[in-house]
Amino acid sequence: MATVVAAAVALFVLAGCTTGPSLETQGEVTAPPGDSRHLTIGSAGFTESDLLAQMYAALLEEAGYSTKILSVTNREIYEPALESGQIDVVPEYAATFADWLNAKVNGPKAPTVGSPDLAATMTALRGLATPRGLTVLDPGRAVDQNAFAVTDAYATEHGLTTLSDLGAAKLPVRLAAGDECVQRPYCAPGLRETYGIDITAVDPKGVGTTPAKQAVQSGQDQMVLTTTTDATLDEFGLVLLADDKNLQNADYIVPVVNRSRAGSEGVTKALDRLNSVLTTADLANMNEQVDSWRRLPEDVARTYLQQEKLIPAD
């Protein structure tokens, strides 16, 4: 932990005194994409980000690049480092990153630009990223969105497979979630307005935490806010209800690169190879291997790429 913190602090200091692409230096933004052969890949320090960074590294190494991975848990630190070229590639989430850049550019009260519409979200994201010297590559099939789960027994008893089913059932629902769920449009207000679900209370136990899942498992609450790549639902006897009216934003996984160092066709082709195979279910399975089975992210990532024949077997 100390090494990661030290790296993050050093990166922050360097980022503060490094000049990267900006609106005032359009020449850097419009110059031909760079193709550095030595690339630093950023990870946000949680399991899924570590897995994605490891997969990016392996794919780039297979394409002839040398790589290293730097774990920086704070977007406020790693995004400026990405702009300055101290980090060359990061895995990001389309809608979340679009809203983050929008707030950075237009202020924290700016209307959100991320939406359930992937095409609109990607257009907004690229419009914000390009002037900052960043290139957003194409999204694949994997998405890590907010999601809602109930017990398998509850779903079976009431015939539920979607959130629309739950709304139609007119059941009172106590929701285990973060305290911000009371006001966030994707959470309690959206469930009421979009699906007609009778949210009677929000139990502030956090997003996808063990206490939140235990509260639903025990029947204290009826539903929990988690994510689509949650690896532990089975352990609590929980199943996801499909967001069939697309309440949640399009948080598809996208690689973001520093254009002047890693905007080349070689990098794009190497990372695009993952798009044809990686699914949300694959990510959930890999998360489980790391979080529950205690396997190393690099081992899980390499095994997956070998199984999908994206890199040769050892």
Side-chain angles (χ1 to χ4, degrees):
M1 180 63 70
T3 302
V4 172
V5 172
V9 170
L11 193 62
F12 177 76
V13 171
L14 288 170
C17 60
T18 302
T19 302
S22 70
L23 292 173
E24 290 74 34
T25 54
Q26 286 289 333
E28 293 184 55
V29 176
T30 58
D35 192 26
S36 172
R37 309 308 294 179
H38 305 281
L39 300 175
T40 298
I41 300 164
S43 165
F46 58 92
T47 296
E48 188 167 287
S49 188
D50 289 343
L51 284 163
L52 289 163
Q54 291 289 345
M55 285 189 280
Y56 289 3
L59 289 168
L60 288 166
E61 287 171 4
E62 180 64 17
Y65 297 87
S66 67
T67 68
K68 65 179 179 180
I69 294 174
L70 182 64
S71 184
V72 185
T73 58
N74 190 318
R75 189 178 273 117
E76 283 77 8
I77 295 175
Y78 75 66
E79 190 279 331
L82 181 64
E83 289 188 28
S84 71
Q86 294 169 279
I87 291 176
D88 303 304
V89 185
V90 295
E92 265 293 357
Y93 300 88
T96 296
F97 196 46
D99 284 336
W100 192 89
L101 284 179
N102 187 46
K104 180 176 181 178
V105 172
N106 298 312
K109 295 184 178 180
T112 59
V113 295
S115 76
D117 185 324
L118 177 59
T121 296
M122 289 297 296
T123 297
L125 173 55
R126 284 170 167 154
L128 289 160
T130 299
R132 309 192 78 81
L134 306 180
T135 297
V136 182
L137 305 188
D138 289 340
R141 300 155 62 193
V143 57
D144 189 351
Q145 295 170 303
N146 292 306
F148 297 91
V150 298
T151 64
D152 185 60
Y154 185 83
T156 300
E157 178 185 358
H158 299 289
L160 310 177
T161 59
T162 69
L163 290 171
S164 287
D165 293 337
L166 182 56
K170 302 301 180 184
L171 297 164
V173 175
R174 181 176 163 94
L175 176 63
D179 53 10
E180 71 280 1
C181 178
V182 173
Q183 296 181 323
R184 292 284 175 87
Y186 67 80
C187 203
L191 291 172
R192 293 188 182 105
E193 294 166 16
T194 302
Y195 289 107
I197 297 173
D198 180 16
I199 303 295
T200 60
V202 173
D203 186 4
K205 285 186 163 57
V207 178
T209 63
T210 294
K213 292 172 189 171
Q214 288 173 336
V216 176
Q217 183 183 41
S218 69
Q220 176 184 341
D221 299 333
Q222 286 71 51
M223 189 162 67
V224 60
L225 170 62
T226 182
T227 66
T228 52
T229 59
D230 191 320
T232 63
L233 293 177
D234 287 347
E235 295 176 23
F236 298 90
L238 303 178
V239 293
L240 295 179
L241 296 181
D243 179 23
D244 53 307
K245 292 185 179 178
N246 296 319
L247 173 63
Q248 302 305 319
N249 282 345
D251 257 332
Y252 283 76
I253 292 162
V254 292
V256 182
V257 304
N258 177 287
R259 186 177 189 274
S260 66
R261 287 184 48 82
S264 69
E265 185 178 0
V267 170
T268 299
K269 282 186 173 180
L271 297 180
D272 275 353
R273 296 178 65 209
L274 195 58
N275 287 353
S276 62
V277 298
L278 184 66
T279 66
T280 304
D282 291 339
L283 265 182
N285 179 267
M286 285 189 277
N287 285 338
E288 181 180 23
Q289 291 183 53
V290 175
D291 292 337
S292 298
W293 305 358
R294 301 305 180 194
R295 293 189 62 196
L296 294 174
E298 54 264 40
D299 293 340
V300 174
R302 179 164 288 276
T303 298
Y304 175 78
L305 294 178
Q306 290 171 342
Q307 289 172 345
E308 297 296 332
K309 300 186 178 357
L310 296 181
I311 63 172
D314 293 333

